[in-house]
Amino acid sequence: MNKHDPLLKVRLDGDAVGPGKIPVALLLRFLTNLNKAFQRTGRVLTGTAESLCRGPQPRSIKEEVALDLVLLTHGSPSAVLGFERRLSKPCLPGMDLGLDILESALTGLSTVQQIGNTLPKGCDVGVLMAWRDAGTLFSQGIEKIEFTLNHRKTLLAATFTPEGFTQIQERIKGPQTNIR
């Protein structure tokens, strides 16, 4: 864990962004869907049967994954966003639901982009739909989204790609039956 880096870094690469700049509409769409992915992962992890339930998200989950944007900087042709948690009370080591949610969401994102039938811990169709909606940026000039979670000695990295976006869409559709 590097104390100088934010808890979560998101790097967006592509023609739609530039060094330290990103269109507001793109940023808003991405952050809305990223937040949905985190909150829905939290619902699945806490035992809610389905993350797509109508109504407001449980307040405890919202508070656990509430993030503040603390950094907008540039990579080479990239926009890099940095986030810190808004937690008001410290958590016991090893018992931090918010970090578990962030870790499960990003680990799950890496897993669901691969071919396979089983969904990882903390993932259901609602979570897949949130990642799919975040992936609409790939049709708007974004080529790759990289996440780095700085919560342990070893960083957790996940990359979201257009190919992974296609795989997530296939998972949402489910198996197709060929009827002749």
Side-chain angles (χ1 to χ4, degrees):
M1 181 175 194
N2 184 346
K3 295 286 184 194
H4 301 292
D5 283 337
L7 174 68
L8 177 64
K9 252 193 204 173
V10 180
R11 177 185 169 124
L12 298 117
D13 291 311
D15 295 336
V17 295
K21 66 178 184 172
I22 183 170
V24 171
L26 214 80
L27 179 63
L28 184 60
R29 180 176 302 117
F30 174 70
L31 293 179
T32 298
N33 291 306
L34 179 65
N35 202 38
K36 270 187 206 172
F38 290 155
Q39 289 181 8
R40 289 178 179 177
T41 299
R43 274 190 157 182
V44 174
L45 287 176
T46 56
T48 303
E50 205 174 297
S51 68
L52 278 176
C53 297
R54 291 191 183 268
Q57 293 288 339
R59 185 181 177 123
S60 61
I61 292 174
K62 275 184 169 179
E63 289 172 1
E64 290 291 336
V65 296
L67 298 170
D68 289 329
L69 179 63
V70 296
L71 174 72
L72 173 58
T73 186
H74 62 283
S76 35
S78 309
V80 180
L81 310 172
F83 300 92
E84 289 290 346
R85 287 178 66 200
R86 188 183 289 179
L87 256 189
S88 56
K89 59 185 185 316
C91 294
L92 299 172
M95 296 182 68
D96 189 338
L97 178 61
L99 283 180
D100 289 346
I101 292 170
L102 296 175
E103 187 174 339
S104 291
L106 295 179
T107 303
L109 175 62
S110 292
T111 304
V112 298
Q113 292 182 82
Q114 301 165 9
I115 295 173
N117 294 328
T118 59
L119 290 176
K121 172 183 152 193
C123 192
D124 70 356
V125 173
V127 175
L128 290 177
M129 292 171 81
W131 285 123
R132 177 206 56 202
D133 294 347
T136 59
L137 272 63
F138 295 124
S139 64
Q140 298 173 342
I142 299 295
E143 297 163 6
K144 181 170 63 169
I145 305 169
E146 296 176 332
F147 300 89
T148 307
L149 188 59
N150 180 26
H151 67 307
R152 297 204 172 127
K153 288 183 182 181
T154 305
L155 300 178
L156 172 65
T159 302
F160 195 10
T161 63
E163 297 79 20
F165 172 65
T166 302
Q167 184 59 39
I168 288 172
Q169 290 175 307
E170 291 299 317
R171 281 180 177 265
I172 292 170
K173 287 181 196 173
Q176 302 297 311
T177 306
N178 188 1
I179 301 172
R180 290 188 180 215

